[in-house]
């Protein structure tokens, strides 16, 4: 086939990355259409005009664009907010377009399953913007584990401290919320900013190429200090069908930023891995060995375009693979109410207005090292959540109807 015809929804936010990436794919892809809603046309008039001058057809809505030129669009890119993922993805697939939607796939498991059903009906590719699983180092570590070099994988754990200020929660109408109107978003560190880390753990911990760990039960604790509906701090453990234990601790209200780290434990040793993909294996006898993949990286945008161009290929970050992260996120909100962290532990950072919790950075890392929930560390304000079985789980919320009230 010739160059992949690409359409992008939106001009601001993460759409700017896609608009940049489209300039870097050379003759493999061609920008044929663009959605620029009325606000985008006011806020980015120069950029919109530049696209039109290049021959890109500009539309005020996705509906208008698909009606006018869906036959020219091979790949529809949806770098929009979580509330729009299901409706826009389904619309694109029904219009016979391949789709790349931003992470997380959606805010509820029923939304992801509706998207998957639309994909099956269409026979098209649907990828999700989890760029880490396509990185060469991540792929190298995954392949190395799948080859049995670590023996049987027993557990994988991770943590991340990414402080966020009031501007982060004020950037749109759904940030920090459980829902936007009738659409679940469950906006939270583990279902937005660091959904990448959760998705990566399900990817790296699975010893089957192109597969993810399947969550079967979750116990979580959710907390907050910000004036939001949702959680800004979470700690949870996940049981999986492969009997690989998963543990994650994450916060947006630490005193300092510490990028995610992972530890993968196997029968023959363990792997310590950074968020950027640098990895070292520590063998059971104490020997240390760097796991060196490659320097190159093919982003999720280029990976999806090449999968379409090659027809027989599948993207590294498919919608089916992204389902585990959404299932886990839903289960955390089923497991735990959102508990307020005591006011006496809070400090407002003067320059940014960011709320920090005294000792949170150390607590998150202590939870990670021990694979223990806060309540198991005898934190006096911690409240244990319920263990939630995910057998037959397909609708959020199934177990805690009080969530609907926020």
């Amino acid at each position: 086939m010739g160059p992949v015809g690409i359409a992008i929804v939106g001009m601001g936010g993460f759409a700017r990355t896609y608009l940049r990436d489209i300039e870097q794919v050379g003759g493999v892809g061609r920008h044929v259409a663009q959605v620029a809603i009325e606000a985008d046309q006011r806020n980015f008039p120069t950029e919109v005009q530049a696209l039109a001058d290049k021959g890109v057809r500009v539309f005020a809505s996705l509906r208008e664009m698909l009606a006018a030129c869906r036959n020219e669009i091979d790949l529809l890119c949806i770098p929009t907010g979580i509330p729009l993922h299901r409706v826009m993805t389904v619309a694109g697939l029904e219009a016979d377009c391949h789709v790349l939607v931003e992470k997380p796939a959606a805010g509820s498991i029923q939304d992801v399953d509706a998207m998957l059903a639309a994909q099956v009906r269409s026979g098209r590719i649907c990828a999700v913007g989890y760029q880490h699983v396509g990185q060469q180092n991540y792929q190298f570590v995954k392949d190395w584990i799948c080859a049995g070099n670590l023996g049987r994988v027993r557990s994988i754990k991770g943590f991340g401290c990414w402080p966020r200020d009031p501007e982060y929660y004020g950037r749109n109408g759904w940030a920090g919320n459980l829902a936007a109107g009738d659409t679940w978003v469950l906006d939270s560190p583990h279902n937005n900013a660091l959904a990448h880390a959760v998705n990566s753990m399900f990817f790296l911990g699975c010893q089957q190429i192109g597969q993810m760990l399947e969550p079967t039960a979750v116990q979580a604790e959710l907390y907050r200090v910000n004036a939001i509906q949702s959680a800004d701090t979470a700690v949870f453990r996940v049981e999986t069908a492969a009997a690989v234990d998963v543990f994650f601790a994450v916060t947006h209200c630490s005193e300092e930023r510490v990028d995610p780290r992972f530890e993968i434990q196997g029968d023959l040793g363990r792997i310590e891995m950074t968020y950027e993909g640098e990895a070292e294996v520590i063998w059971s006898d104490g020997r240390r060995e760097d796991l060196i993949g490659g320097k190159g990286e093919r982003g999720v945008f280029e990976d999806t375009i090449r999968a379409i161009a090659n027809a027989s290929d599948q993207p590294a970050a498919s919608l089916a693979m992204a389902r585990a992260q959404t299932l886990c996120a839903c289960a955390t909100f089923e497991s735990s109410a959102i508990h307020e962290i005591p006011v006496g532990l809070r400090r407002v950072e003067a320059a940014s207005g960011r709320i920090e919790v005294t000792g949170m950075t150390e607590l998150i890392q202590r939870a990670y090292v021990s694979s223990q929930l806060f309540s198991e560390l005898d934190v006096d304000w911690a409240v244990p959540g319920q263990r939630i079985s995910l057998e037959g789980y397909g609708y959020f919320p199934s177990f805690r109807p009080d969530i609907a009230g926020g």
Side-chain angles (χ1 to χ4, degrees), residues 6 57 71 118 135 187 202 220 222 257 267 278 297 304 340 391 398:
I6 302 167
R57 300 178 66 182
N71 292 332
Q135 288 180 3
D187 186 45
F202 290 129
L222 303 180
R257 172 171 172 147
D267 286 339
E278 298 173 349
E297 175 184 336
T304 306
E340 299 286 340
E391 182 179 358
S398 294

Side-chain angles (χ1 to χ4, degrees), residues 130-146 156 200 203-205 209 262 264 271-281 290-299 316:
Y130 283 119
Q131 70 263 23
H132 285 78
V133 299
Q135 288 180 3
Q136 247 184 340
N137 278 0
Y138 276 74
Q139 289 280 346
F140 178 84
V141 172
K142 168 80 168 182
D143 291 346
W144 192 90
I145 291 171
C146 288
I156 182 167
S200 295
F203 174 71
L204 293 169
I209 297 293
F262 307 109
I264 308 160
I271 295 172
E272 295 180 352
M273 187 168 176
T274 69
Y275 197 46
E276 293 75 24
E278 298 173 349
E280 180 183 39
V281 59
D290 288 335
L291 293 181
I292 302 173
K295 296 295 185 182
E297 175 184 336
R298 190 160 80 189

